[in-house]
Amino acid sequence: MLMLLVLGVLLHDVPLSSQDEASVPGAPLEPLFNYAGIRLPEEHIPFFLHSNRHVATACEKDARCPYKKHLRNLKYCWGYEKSCEPEFRFGYPVCTYVDMGWTDTLASARDLFWRQADFGFAAERLQELRVLCRPAEPSDSSLVCSRYLQYCRAANLYIDLRNVERTQDRFKEDFFRSGEIGGHCDLDVPALMSQGQRKSPLQSWFAELQHYTQLNFRPTEDAKCDVVVGKPTYFMKLDAGVNMYHHFCDFINLYITQHVNSSFSTDVYIVMWDTSSYGYGDLFSDTWKAFTDYDVIHLKAYDSKRVCFKEAVFSLPPRMRYGLFYNTPLISGCQNTGLFRAFAQHVLHRLNVTQEGPQDGKIRVTILARSTEYRKILNQNELVNALKTVSAFEVQVVDYKYKELGFLEQLRITHNTDIFIGMHGAGLTHLLFLPDWAAVFELYNCEDERCYLDLARLRGVHYVTWQKRSKVFPQDKGHHPTLGEHPKFTNYSFDVEEFMYLVLQAADHVSRHPKWPLKGRRDEL
């Protein structure tokens, strides 16, 4: 009974219009639910309805529901729901061999990969949830967290920012003192303090919540708040906003958090948890539109105030140990997670980036050029000219300079590419948004072999990289400013014949892929 009370406090249900009102003669003919606010890709709708049966019920009774055709597919599920049968999951990884260092059968390999990097990851976080501060009444506060405080959700959260001291440290561990963060609920102090094993700025929320205090007043009812935030609010600790690889660790973990929280509403606030007085450089800020209708709020906007959040979620951090996707340890031999495919579809749909081709039956080849000091392709023109000799190719060279090409346009180009070619670097994170049939060619991995290979495995796109060291020609041995010789700190030329051989291999994969729109057009290759 107590857990039901906690969930009642925490879960934010979107109210339905009164069914009785809808049946009264002369009542406004309004839908029983705000279906337009769902804003999910069509493929995701039955999965959403499975997890939100109140919406499915409304849709069944509502002649104006646009999703009636999906009601016959309510067995479809993301995979983390207790009611989900494995054969109806959104996706399941493909494993081609068994990594004996991890397990001994293909079936157990698939299950392990699903738990490491697919919706099984969300399932494990849900299974870990534990009430740390219990409400006695519906108007009380509450705190529920997963293991190590990697994810938490709170009701009627009180934060006192009147006396905080800001420094250059973005994630100051002693930012709060006792009584400056907490709620009116029964706090299990030993349980809370036992979760500090992974205390680290971008790995958990322990540093921020270790001083959570059981208050002797109800913050909102007892007029203890200078500001009351009524909208659901997501707190996030962000990685580097100028690096796509690092910043998209933020976004993928926010997406997983939405699943754990069972809500994809954009009528929410996102608060950047930063204890410094600095701003935040964000080259990919357009992506926030997929998650919120509002500008991201810096925590310092609430300085000098006592702030109460009726519903707060502490989002999964970007660099969790065994988290996604920064340095994730993955079993070999498996690929293609439904989670990363769903993330790409979700973001592209909400940012209105569409698939426009392929046009004229050609395979669209995009080379990502670099205008940086290092890892430039020295004989790029020669490689491009070789590609243009293949009549089945449509070739373009792009440089994703944020000042010259907006991020949404970058996404449009990437999503309308069939073979994406680039040197090792954060720009290859664009592979997340390639179409399912595409291939990514990491021209040279600079001896960082796992980074984009693993990201391609997670997304489920084909990965190619240079194999023959004798046919790649570094400009010099590289010169890292502190480490000395380093393969990431030089430029490269490539053997044209070997380059074309690898590109044609990638093209063969594209043309054979079951989702390739132009099946049967392979003669020109």
Side-chain angles (χ1 to χ4, degrees):
M1 184 67 187
L2 184 56
M3 179 58 81
L4 290 176
L5 175 61
V6 173
L7 293 177
V9 170
L10 292 171
L11 294 179
H12 179 68
D13 288 330
V14 180
L16 304 181
S17 301
S18 167
Q19 295 176 19
D20 293 336
E21 178 186 335
S23 62
V24 174
L29 294 178
E30 296 182 357
L32 297 180
F33 186 81
N34 177 23
Y35 305 108
I38 294 175
R39 292 184 60 215
L40 294 176
E42 193 75 13
E43 182 182 346
H44 294 190
I45 295 301
F47 303 89
F48 171 81
L49 293 176
H50 178 100
S51 298
N52 294 270
R53 291 304 176 108
H54 64 291
V55 182
T57 300
C59 183
E60 190 174 7
K61 297 177 179 180
D62 190 351
R64 289 146 296 190
C65 176
Y67 300 130
K68 285 190 175 294
K69 66 180 180 180
H70 296 296
L71 294 175
R72 61 179 179 268
N73 296 322
L74 292 183
K75 287 186 177 181
Y76 291 1
C77 46
W78 298 112
Y80 49 77
E81 307 92 335
K82 290 182 179 179
S83 58
C84 184
E85 300 176 27
E87 61 267 31
F88 295 107
R89 289 176 182 172
F90 183 77
Y92 211 66
V94 175
C95 298
T96 54
Y97 66 87
V98 177
D99 183 344
M100 300 301 291
W102 289 87
T103 187
D104 56 0
T105 68
L106 278 175
S108 60
R110 286 205 310 166
D111 181 67
L112 176 59
F113 190 69
W114 184 76
R115 287 185 285 111
Q116 285 179 330
D118 208 332
F119 283 115
F121 182 86
E124 291 190 343
R125 303 293 79 74
L126 284 165
Q127 291 165 7
E128 294 170 357
L129 290 181
R130 180 177 181 181
V131 180
L132 297 178
C133 202
R134 296 175 179 271
E137 310 213 2
S139 60
D140 278 349
S141 307
S142 58
L143 181 66
V144 175
C145 296
S146 67
R147 195 178 183 192
Y148 306 124
L149 309 193
Q150 292 179 325
Y151 161 90
C152 294
R153 58 182 182 236
N156 296 319
L157 176 70
Y158 173 82
I159 297 180
D160 186 350
L161 293 165
R162 290 177 298 176
N163 300 304
V164 295
E165 296 180 3
R166 293 192 176 273
T167 64
Q168 297 180 354
D169 189 349
R170 289 188 59 209
F171 307 111
K172 190 178 178 183
E173 294 189 352
D174 58 350
F175 191 60
F176 289 124
R177 294 186 294 268
S178 179
E180 293 182 333
I181 183 169
H184 187 271
C185 45
D186 183 11
L187 179 64
D188 188 339
V189 176
L192 174 64
M193 299 310 294
S194 70
Q195 299 300 310
Q197 296 94 323
R198 296 186 183 176
K199 178 182 178 181
S200 182
L202 295 178
Q203 291 198 29
S204 85
W205 289 95
F206 184 81
E208 291 73 23
L209 293 173
Q210 62 184 332
H211 295 299
Y212 187 98
T213 304
Q214 178 176 324
L215 303 176
N216 59 8
F217 58 87
R218 289 185 172 89
T220 53
E221 291 191 359
D222 295 346
K224 297 292 186 178
C225 313
D226 301 309
V227 177
V228 176
V229 180
K231 288 189 188 297
T233 301
Y234 287 76
F235 292 115
M236 295 185 67
K237 293 190 286 190
L238 301 181
D239 207 330
V242 296
N243 180 293
M244 187 176 180
Y245 182 86
H246 290 284
H247 202 10
F248 270 78
C249 289
D250 299 319
F251 293 121
I252 189 69
N253 280 288
L254 175 57
Y255 181 66
I256 301 168
T257 298
Q258 288 185 317
H259 278 277
V260 175
N261 201 46
S262 192
S263 174
F264 301 97
S265 173
T266 53
D267 189 19
V268 299
Y269 291 143
I270 293 177
V271 173
M272 182 178 68
W273 194 284
D274 189 332
T275 60
S276 76
S277 56
Y278 296 138
Y280 181 77
D282 192 342
L283 304 187
F284 311 96
S285 57
D286 286 326
T287 313
W288 292 114
K289 298 172 186 175
F291 300 99
T292 178
D293 296 329
Y294 311 99
D295 291 337
V296 174
I297 302 167
H298 196 294
L299 184 64
K300 65 185 178 184
Y302 297 117
D303 279 5
S304 76
K305 300 179 180 67
R306 297 167 300 173
V307 189
C308 297
F309 297 88
K310 290 193 173 182
E311 299 177 52
V313 175
F314 293 83
S315 181
L316 292 163
R319 295 201 191 192
M320 292 177 291
R321 196 182 310 172
Y322 307 111
L324 291 173
F325 53 85
Y326 184 86
N327 286 339
T328 305
L330 295 174
I331 184 173
S332 299
C334 300
Q335 62 178 7
N336 196 18
T337 71
L339 171 59
F340 277 74
R341 179 165 60 90
F343 168 74
Q345 293 170 338
H346 182 86
V347 170
L348 292 170
H349 176 78
R350 288 195 165 175
L351 298 183
N352 297 312
V353 177
T354 59
Q355 180 56 239
E356 300 168 0
Q359 304 290 339
D360 304 321
K362 294 184 179 294
I363 292 176
R364 299 161 296 180
V365 181
T366 299
I367 293 184
L368 181 61
R370 291 177 64 91
S371 53
T372 54
E373 185 176 358
Y374 301 117
R375 279 173 274 156
K376 286 185 284 195
I377 306 169
L378 297 175
N379 62 333
Q380 180 173 288
N381 291 338
E382 190 178 11
L383 301 183
V384 171
N385 290 335
L387 289 171
K388 289 181 176 179
T389 64
V390 181
S391 60
F393 289 165
E394 176 185 309
V395 183
Q396 65 176 334
V397 178
V398 297
D399 189 342
Y400 285 165
K401 296 179 181 178
Y402 73 95
K403 290 184 178 180
E404 298 178 8
L405 198 64
F407 185 60
L408 292 182
E409 179 61 15
Q410 294 178 26
L411 286 183
R412 188 196 66 78
I413 293 171
T414 300
H415 189 53
N416 286 279
T417 291
D418 306 313
I419 301 176
F420 191 68
I421 304 172
M423 289 290 292
H424 177 87
L428 287 182
T429 310
H430 272 274
L431 69 86
L432 291 171
F433 301 103
L434 291 169
D436 291 347
W437 59 78
V440 57
F441 180 6
E442 184 175 16
L443 193 51
Y444 190 56
N445 60 37
C446 300
E447 301 180 21
D448 188 348
E449 297 178 358
R450 304 303 309 183
C451 184
Y452 295 102
L453 165 61
D454 284 345
L455 193 59
R457 288 203 293 141
L458 293 169
R459 172 59 184 88
V461 295
H462 186 61
Y463 174 86
V464 178
T465 193
W466 202 270
Q467 299 295 331
K468 296 183 178 180
R469 294 285 185 90
S470 63
K471 295 190 175 184
V472 57
F473 311 106
Q475 188 176 35
D476 52 41
K477 292 183 178 181
H479 27 83
H480 187 278
T482 58
L483 300 178
E485 295 179 4
H486 198 291
K488 291 184 181 180
F489 290 82
T490 189
N491 302 304
Y492 293 88
S493 298
F494 297 89
D495 179 87
V496 176
E497 185 177 348
E498 181 68 12
F499 169 78
M500 290 302 297
Y501 170 76
L502 293 170
V503 174
L504 289 171
Q505 277 191 330
D508 187 63
H509 166 85
V510 168
S511 63
R512 292 179 184 273
H513 195 281
K515 292 186 178 181
W516 172 240
L518 304 174
K519 296 295 289 182
R521 298 192 182 183
R522 299 184 62 250
D523 294 344
E524 292 179 76
L525 290 176

